[in-house]
Amino acid sequence: MTEPTAAAKPLSLISRIIGVITSPRPTFEQALAVPRPVGVLFVAALLMGVAAAIPQFTPAAQEAVLNAQIDALSRNGPPPADAVARLQTLAPFLPYVVLVSTLIFVPIVAMVLGAVYWAIFNTIMGGTATFKQVLTVVTHSQIIRALSIVAAVPFMLSHPTMKFGGPFNLSALAPMVDETSRLARFLGNISVFDLWAAFVTATGLSVLYRRSLGSILVVVLGLLVIVAYGFTFLSR
């Protein structure tokens, strides 16, 4: 049986947002009785978009992004002058592009992750939870990822070339490793907030599927490692 215990009264949006940070298990025990993924997903995406866009209003950040784009164009030779001119024209609009793209990208990622977890635990492991319930778990865990970008804003303002995740990635655990190596880039793609979000996701799925937290956490962390390695391979 995968149905969570019914709650006497559905939790409000604010209660769910705070609860998933401070006490995820009891929060999921109530929230999954009446799954509501849309509101919390919008809040998470908005927080991510606004936090990621704020540093892009600074000239230093716009210049850093412009230089990175020019470097990418230069891999196959000197970039065309008209292409560079277009990038320079679009630079002031970068914050709005970041905001809008985040509002589009985050729901897509949540839907894909929800589908993957639903397929694993329903199709392969024989669970009976609805996709809406699984999506509720995934969207609530996005609040933790939003916190990572919010917390990184001060660092991104002072270091424009820093990733949106800020300095909270695992590369700090291996300072002796060459920062251009695959291992360093792999560790740089995983932050402590990613691990926190994985724990929250596993907690929600363990409540939903009535399985041990440890076994589900292995699956969630395994998926995190696969995605992080995929980004490492693509960015080489």
Side-chain angles (χ1 to χ4, degrees):
M1 182 176 178
T2 60
E3 293 294 327
T5 304
K9 181 179 179 181
L11 293 174
S12 67
L13 176 60
I14 297 299
S15 296
R16 285 182 282 127
I17 290 173
I18 296 174
V20 81
I21 298 171
T22 60
S23 52
R25 178 167 289 275
T27 299
F28 280 123
E29 287 173 349
Q30 291 186 269
L32 288 172
V34 184
R36 297 176 179 178
V38 177
V40 72
L41 178 59
F42 175 76
V43 171
L46 186 62
L47 284 174
M48 290 184 198
V50 171
I54 287 174
Q56 308 309 313
F57 281 102
T58 64
Q62 293 177 13
E63 182 179 357
V65 172
L66 178 62
N67 290 337
Q69 292 172 330
I70 293 175
D71 288 342
L73 290 176
S74 302
R75 290 176 182 174
N76 297 320
D82 58 338
V84 174
R86 282 197 298 270
L87 291 175
Q88 292 172 333
T89 302
L90 293 174
F93 300 98
L94 180 62
Y96 309 102
V97 173
V98 170
L99 175 59
V100 173
S101 60
T102 302
L103 290 174
I104 296 173
F105 183 69
V106 172
I108 293 175
V109 171
M111 293 290 288
V112 171
L113 284 176
V116 170
Y117 289 132
W118 184 89
I120 291 174
F121 292 103
N122 275 41
T123 305
I124 300 176
M125 297 185 179
T128 58
T130 66
F131 177 72
K132 189 175 183 180
Q133 287 175 315
V134 177
L135 186 61
T136 296
V137 173
V138 173
T139 55
H140 281 68
S141 71
Q142 296 304 305
I143 290 295
I144 309 302
R145 300 189 188 280
L147 288 180
S148 71
I149 302 180
V150 172
V153 169
F155 300 95
M156 290 189 289
L157 287 172
S158 58
H159 299 82
T161 59
M162 187 171 287
K163 290 182 178 180
F164 285 154
F168 308 111
N169 59 72
L170 300 187
S171 60
L173 299 178
M176 72 296 295
V177 177
D178 181 2
E179 62 181 14
T180 62
S181 67
R182 180 173 296 182
L183 175 59
R185 287 185 284 117
F186 169 72
L187 293 174
N189 286 329
I190 301 177
S191 75
V192 293
F193 285 91
D194 291 328
L195 299 178
W196 184 7
F199 174 78
V200 170
T201 301
T203 299
L205 292 174
S206 71
V207 170
L208 181 59
Y209 286 102
R210 304 291 186 183
R211 290 178 177 269
S212 69
L213 174 60
S215 62
I216 292 183
L217 186 58
V218 169
V219 175
V220 176
L221 288 176
L223 183 60
L224 174 62
V225 169
I226 291 172
V227 172
Y229 183 79
F231 278 111
T232 303
F233 181 79
L234 292 174
S235 63
R236 65 178 179 176

